[in-house]
Amino acid sequence: MDLRKIFSPKNLLIAAALSALQPVGISVAWAAQLEEIVVTAQKREERLQDVPITISAFSSLQLEDRGFNSVSDLTMMTPSMQFGNFGPITFVSMRGIGNENTTAGGDPGVAMHIDGIYLGRPVTALFTAFDTERVEVLRGPQGTLYGRNATGGSINLITKKPVIEEFSGELDLTYGDYNWRRVRGRMNLPLGDTSALRIAVYTEDRDGYTENLFAGGKDENDLNDWGVRGHLSFELGDKGSLLFSAAHIDSGGVGAQPEAREPFPGTTTTPVSDFAGPPGFAFNPLGPASGQPYDKNYLDPATGTTFGPGPTAMPVVNNLTPFVVSKDLDQFNDNSLTLFSATFEWDFDQFTFKSISGYAKSNFEIHKDEDYSILDLAELVLTEKSEQFSQEFQFLSSGDGPLDWIAGFYYFNEDVTRRSTFLRGRYETIAANVSGFFGRSIPSAFDVGGDVESESFALFGQASYAVSDTVRVTAGARYTDDEKTGRNFGAQFLGGNVTSLLPATFFDNPNNALHPSGQFIIYDERVGQSWDELTYQLSVDWQFSDASMLYSSYSTGYKSGGINQVPVPSLVSVIYSPEFVDAFEVGLKSTLFDSRMQLNASLYHNKYEDLQFQVFRLAGPEAFNAKGATVQGLEVEIQAAVTDSLVLDATIGLTDSEFDNQELPTGGGATANIGGNQVQRTPDLTYSLGLVNEWTLEDRGSLRLRLEYSYTDEIYYTAFNRRAGFGDLKGNDLAGDYSNANARLFWFSPDEKWTVELSVTNITDEVQEGNVFRDIGFLDIPGGGGTETIAYNPPRQWAVRIGYQF
């Protein structure tokens, strides 16, 4: 790790500029107090500074200052957290753990909760957040209170709830760069003395900031979203409450689409042997369909040469300029999330009973230009439909006396169907010619997917006992029983003889068949497995002063095993095992100088075993268990009220990650040793600096300014740590380091009813490599995967927002 990056001339210059913005004559002595945040990270309301676990918490005001709009914005605010996505598939990771299986058979490693409801599909992290009360980011395994699939941590998003006897509302309009138009509104309506309704809605559209040079092609990275949420609350006397909630979010347009960041691969240029099919049938899996006429001409923009119609292989040139593509396909996304929940709470004096019931339904369909070119060669269609139901019962102590405890039961059921289909000439041609051999219609030469049902039961409990006025001991445990059952189906052309890859029992299933060429299979298999695990934690905290606490903890985490959805031609098991983590942590929470400064720090050591991996090989994504890894680091968060009007904040995450000595299968059928490699999605260094200052303009209102700067070190996006020009594995999984600077200026009217906000994000317009991904491995690239693609963080954008509240 090169600490000189922290103190580079550019960063020191930015720090000096922030300091220079302080009003002349401000006293060095601090004179204001920081906002106190109450969190529910341990299932009960507690002051953030009293909770002996590592949490980054952000209030409604702090989120507004930062322009919070989705989970992706948290990476600038939270040490050791990374976010990336390709279309509707999201990757959220903390402390080296995230989502490494992109199919329906796997689970994320960072749990996502909205108002106490766990959302099982990674796509839910992508939707716009609105009318948010606060966000809590819990780092490290949360196996006791949050259960399975929280080995990396948990993100808890808490929305604003109805307020009884308060009639209020708010409307804001935003216009910005790339024709960004957003309208948001919310209203709180009292319904008598014991109930209230809160409704929030939004809609936003934006042109794409990635230009498509193809004539008539649609620009990428646009927005076409809308959402609505409602809460209906009832007070049941002095003892109880009932809350019904419903929300629907819809996202469309072209959406986030990746770019190829290497010269076009063999999918458009390299001739190989044709598929040995029936008479008169020929298909080139890595190039244009031999003998199949094109239905239009193609122009090479680099040379001006026109090709076609016909089977001529085209030397198409890829434009490697960021935010510039040339794709002929009419790409689009259609994603939605519907959520219903009911929360009932009753106080029995000695304890409180709480019930949280939730139902969620998410869908996505994405159409992607898989050849990344002006050629009409390949279209990838990804679809997923998911339904889930969860029920949690909690029993919480009243909080009197030295003992606090919580016990509960949790049930979760999820049904997911995922399908991946490659369309267009090369895939549809072969499908049309082999369909008759199987006595059924086959839409494509690559059409795979599956249905997965997950069912989970858990019993959990945690107790804290104050052994003295300053020392408290906490212990907790959770027993989880998981089962996954499913059906894997598919039709696959692999371009080579696959007979040797088939299990001996393949033909025992009448739904399975092999083409006479030995190069094409169809299958329909039933799979399933169950697991159970006990996770636990033990911690001690010491309140060594009135406002400072030291704590240490040992905890374990467990992520459910899963199902490979490309099982038959696979070289690994259809089922892969759970993932485990042992975590040691020592932390400090301190409130200094009469509540004018908060300094929170944690030092952690996480040892992962049976680490779940995904490798893109010839037949598609294959998940399995590798050996393990060690991730350790230091995280620091600071807030300081320097004056009555000036508040500073800063974070830093220093991480050391290393894989154990182990061999991983590569896309070429061989293996590579990753021992000593950096864990994927785990930069060595991240940090951020922020400043908020307010000025009173007397009868003209007030101003508030926020300036912020963040830095992210270079990141490897696979365990192979491929770097261009280094090592034996072809390709480059490395994204360079980048900095990001934002500014927001708010004006508030004297009565605080009107707000005007001016914002500029990514002020320096730096190209930021936000995610690197390899497509399915038809090209058999060593190390796994096909085309090397990249997603960039947004370029510089400006916006104006006008809001009115009553």
Side-chain angles (χ1 to χ4, degrees):
M1 181 184 304
D2 188 0
L3 294 181
R4 291 174 296 178
K5 292 178 180 177
I6 302 178
F7 303 105
S8 66
K10 179 176 68 173
N11 296 345
L12 292 175
L13 179 61
I14 291 175
L18 292 175
S19 299
L21 287 168
Q22 299 179 29
V24 176
I26 284 182
S27 171
V28 176
W30 293 334
Q33 290 189 341
L34 296 172
E35 179 183 10
E36 183 175 277
I37 299 178
V38 175
V39 298
T40 53
Q42 295 194 122
K43 308 288 188 178
R44 66 173 76 238
E45 291 188 351
E46 300 172 285
R47 290 178 59 251
L48 172 64
Q49 295 301 94
D50 294 336
V51 183
I53 58 178
T54 304
I55 311 172
S56 296
F58 307 97
S59 68
S60 177
L61 177 60
Q62 292 172 330
L63 294 173
E64 179 184 27
D65 282 347
R66 291 162 169 82
F68 175 73
N69 199 49
S70 70
V71 172
S72 63
D73 297 323
L74 296 174
T75 57
M76 281 193 61
M77 314 177 198
T78 309
S80 305
M81 177 181 169
Q82 294 296 311
F83 178 93
N85 74 284
F86 279 104
I89 301 174
T90 60
F91 304 85
V92 181
S93 66
M94 286 191 283
R95 296 182 176 179
I97 287 296
N99 174 34
E100 289 303 317
N101 185 343
T102 59
T103 74
D107 298 292
V110 175
M112 179 74 184
H113 294 81
I114 296 181
D115 291 331
I117 305 298
Y118 168 72
L119 298 176
R121 303 314 305 153
V123 66
T124 57
L126 189 64
F127 291 104
T128 297
F130 60 105
D131 203 36
T132 303
E133 177 66 31
R134 70 180 182 278
V135 175
E136 303 170 5
V137 183
L138 288 63
R139 300 193 295 281
Q142 308 296 320
T144 298
L145 295 182
Y146 292 92
R148 63 198 269 280
N149 306 337
T151 46
S154 177
I155 299 173
N156 302 341
L157 190 149
I158 297 93
T159 64
K160 293 182 178 179
K161 305 302 188 299
V163 179
I164 296 176
E165 297 181 354
E166 177 187 292
F167 175 73
S168 62
E170 184 176 1
L171 176 69
D172 68 28
L173 309 174
T174 300
Y175 182 80
D177 218 354
Y178 302 98
N179 199 28
W180 181 30
R181 294 150 294 163
R182 184 181 68 185
V183 180
R184 299 185 300 186
R186 61 91 178 164
M187 183 169 291
N188 191 94
L189 300 171
L191 303 175
D193 297 332
T194 60
S195 62
L197 173 68
R198 186 182 186 92
I199 297 177
V201 298
Y202 83 95
T203 179
E204 63 179 332
D205 292 276
R206 188 193 64 211
D207 297 339
Y209 55 72
T210 297
E211 182 183 8
N212 190 351
L213 299 180
F214 184 80
K218 295 180 180 179
D219 293 342
E220 301 176 351
N221 289 297
D222 62 345
L223 289 174
N224 183 9
D225 304 345
W226 66 273
V228 58
R229 177 188 296 119
H231 294 295
L232 179 61
S233 66
F234 299 89
E235 286 187 355
L236 307 177
D238 297 332
K239 296 288 188 177
S241 64
L242 180 62
L243 176 70
F244 294 106
S245 303
H248 179 82
I249 301 174
D250 194 273
S251 177
V254 178
Q257 300 281 357
E259 304 177 31
R261 74 160 182 173
E262 60 185 352
F264 277 132
T267 48
T268 55
T269 61
T270 305
V272 299
S273 299
D274 289 336
F275 172 78
F281 171 75
F283 176 73
N284 182 343
L286 303 183
S290 301
Q292 301 297 321
Y294 290 120
D295 59 0
K296 55 186 174 182
N297 294 333
Y298 297 97
L299 175 67
D300 179 359
T303 64
T305 304
T306 300
F307 295 85
T312 309
M314 288 187 55
V316 180
V317 176
N318 182 21
N319 188 330
L320 299 179
T321 306
F323 306 114
V324 177
V325 297
S326 187
K327 302 179 183 179
D328 68 307
L329 185 68
D330 185 15
Q331 303 179 112
F332 70 87
N333 281 266
D334 186 4
N335 313 323
S336 65
L337 169 67
T338 303
L339 176 63
F340 297 98
S341 66
T343 302
F344 170 74
E345 192 168 344
W346 191 270
D347 183 5
F348 286 95
D349 295 331
Q350 299 302 314
F351 67 91
T352 298
F353 170 74
K354 191 172 185 179
S355 169
I356 305 174
S357 308
Y359 168 83
K361 180 179 180 180
S362 66
N363 300 294
F364 72 71
E365 179 177 345
I366 175 174
H367 289 243
K368 176 171 172 279
D369 193 325
E370 193 64 13
D371 57 67
Y372 302 93
S373 74
I374 60 175
L375 300 183
D376 192 16
L377 296 178
E379 173 185 4
L380 173 60
V381 179
L382 280 175
T383 60
E384 181 180 284
K385 296 182 178 180
S386 168
E387 286 189 85
Q388 69 165 70
F389 171 77
S390 63
Q391 176 62 58
E392 182 168 357
F393 297 123
Q394 300 173 9
F395 300 86
L396 301 99
S397 64
S398 63
D400 299 330
L403 179 66
D404 285 332
W405 54 267
I406 177 175
F409 166 81
Y410 181 78
Y411 172 75
F412 176 80
N413 181 273
E414 178 186 63
D415 287 293
V416 188
T417 297
R418 169 74 73 86
R419 191 164 193 162
S420 302
T421 305
F422 280 80
L423 301 176
R424 305 290 172 171
R426 60 173 69 173
Y427 304 102
E428 294 170 357
T429 299
I430 188 172
N433 282 273
V434 300
S435 291
F437 283 86
F438 299 113
R440 69 189 78 175
S441 174
I442 298 173
S444 172
F446 187 93
D447 180 34
V448 302
D451 307 315
V452 179
E453 180 181 3
S454 301
E455 191 168 46
S456 180
F457 298 85
L459 294 172
F460 62 90
Q462 179 172 298
S464 297
Y465 185 77
V467 298
S468 71
D469 291 340
T470 59
V471 177
R472 179 175 53 175
V473 177
T474 300
R478 186 183 190 109
Y479 173 77
T480 303
D481 185 282
D482 282 329
E483 182 179 25
K484 286 191 176 183
T485 57
R487 164 182 172 250
N488 288 336
F489 56 80
Q492 293 189 42
F493 170 74
L494 299 181
N497 195 305
V498 300
T499 306
S500 61
L501 304 182
L502 300 178
T505 57
F506 179 74
F507 294 106
D508 294 341
N509 187 336
N511 295 318
N512 297 345
L514 174 68
H515 189 269
S517 67
Q519 297 179 320
F520 192 97
I521 60 173
I522 63 172
Y523 56 90
D524 192 331
E525 299 275 0
R526 299 303 191 270
V527 294
Q529 185 72 41
S530 60
W531 308 270
D532 62 277
E533 183 65 21
L534 179 68
T535 53
Y536 52 91
Q537 67 108 3
L538 177 67
S539 67
V540 179
D541 59 89
W542 173 37
Q543 196 80 33
F544 64 91
S545 74
D546 290 341
S548 297
M549 175 179 66
L550 280 172
Y551 63 92
S552 63
S553 67
Y554 168 71
S555 59
T556 64
Y558 149 80
K559 182 161 71 170
S560 170
I563 296 174
N564 268 309
Q565 290 196 304
V566 191
V568 175
S570 177
L571 297 179
V572 297
S573 173
V574 177
I575 301 294
Y576 57 92
S577 300
E579 173 181 279
F580 306 94
V581 58
D582 292 300
F584 301 86
E585 185 166 351
V586 177
L588 167 70
K589 290 197 172 182
S590 59
T591 305
L592 309 172
F593 306 106
D594 296 327
S595 299
R596 298 179 186 112
M597 179 179 181
Q598 287 182 358
L599 171 62
N600 295 343
S602 59
L603 188 67
Y604 66 91
H605 175 93
N606 291 355
K607 178 58 180 163
Y608 299 100
E609 299 292 343
D610 294 328
L611 209 60
Q612 293 177 2
F613 273 92
Q614 177 176 276
V615 174
F616 274 76
R617 295 204 277 175
L618 189 62
E622 295 179 352
F624 59 96
N625 294 95
K627 186 177 179 181
T630 300
V631 181
Q632 54 194 357
L634 171 68
E635 299 167 347
V636 180
E637 297 177 278
I638 299 173
Q639 290 189 68
V642 180
T643 71
D644 284 337
S645 61
L646 179 65
V647 176
L648 300 176
D649 58 80
T651 69
I652 185 169
L654 302 173
T655 309
D656 175 60
S657 64
E658 184 175 297
F659 283 106
D660 296 346
N661 190 42
Q662 57 198 291
E663 297 283 335
L664 291 189
T666 70
T671 60
N673 193 301
I674 63 168
N677 283 3
Q678 180 177 309
V679 175
Q680 71 278 359
R681 303 181 187 275
T682 309
D684 286 341
L685 171 65
T686 61
Y687 66 88
S688 67
L689 303 169
L691 171 153
V692 177
N693 198 82
E694 295 187 359
W695 295 270
T696 299
L697 305 177
E698 297 180 352
D699 59 351
R700 291 172 295 173
S702 62
L703 292 175
R704 184 165 75 236
L705 172 68
R706 177 168 176 84
L707 300 177
E708 58 191 21
Y709 171 83
S710 65
Y711 172 82
T712 300
D713 209 350
E714 62 182 19
I715 305 175
Y716 285 104
Y717 281 91
T718 78
F720 297 105
N721 282 198
R722 289 171 289 205
R723 189 172 190 142
F726 294 89
D728 298 329
L729 296 178
K730 179 184 175 182
N732 183 20
D733 300 323
L734 183 69
D737 62 334
Y738 63 86
S739 303
N740 192 75
N742 303 326
R744 296 181 185 276
L745 178 64
F746 301 83
W747 172 80
F748 303 96
S749 64
D751 59 6
E752 297 187 344
K753 289 186 176 180
W754 288 94
T755 303
V756 178
E757 175 189 353
L758 305 176
S759 64
V760 182
T761 55
N762 191 6
I763 294 173
T764 61
D765 203 24
E766 180 175 344
V767 175
Q768 305 171 11
E769 298 175 329
N771 202 7
V772 177
F773 192 74
R774 284 192 173 275
D775 277 332
I776 197 165
F778 292 128
L779 295 183
D780 206 21
I781 291 176
T787 307
E788 185 178 288
T789 64
I790 189 167
Y792 296 101
N793 294 337
R796 178 172 55 225
Q797 298 180 70
W798 60 265
V800 179
R801 179 178 69 89
I802 300 176
Y804 176 75
Q805 61 181 352
F806 57 89

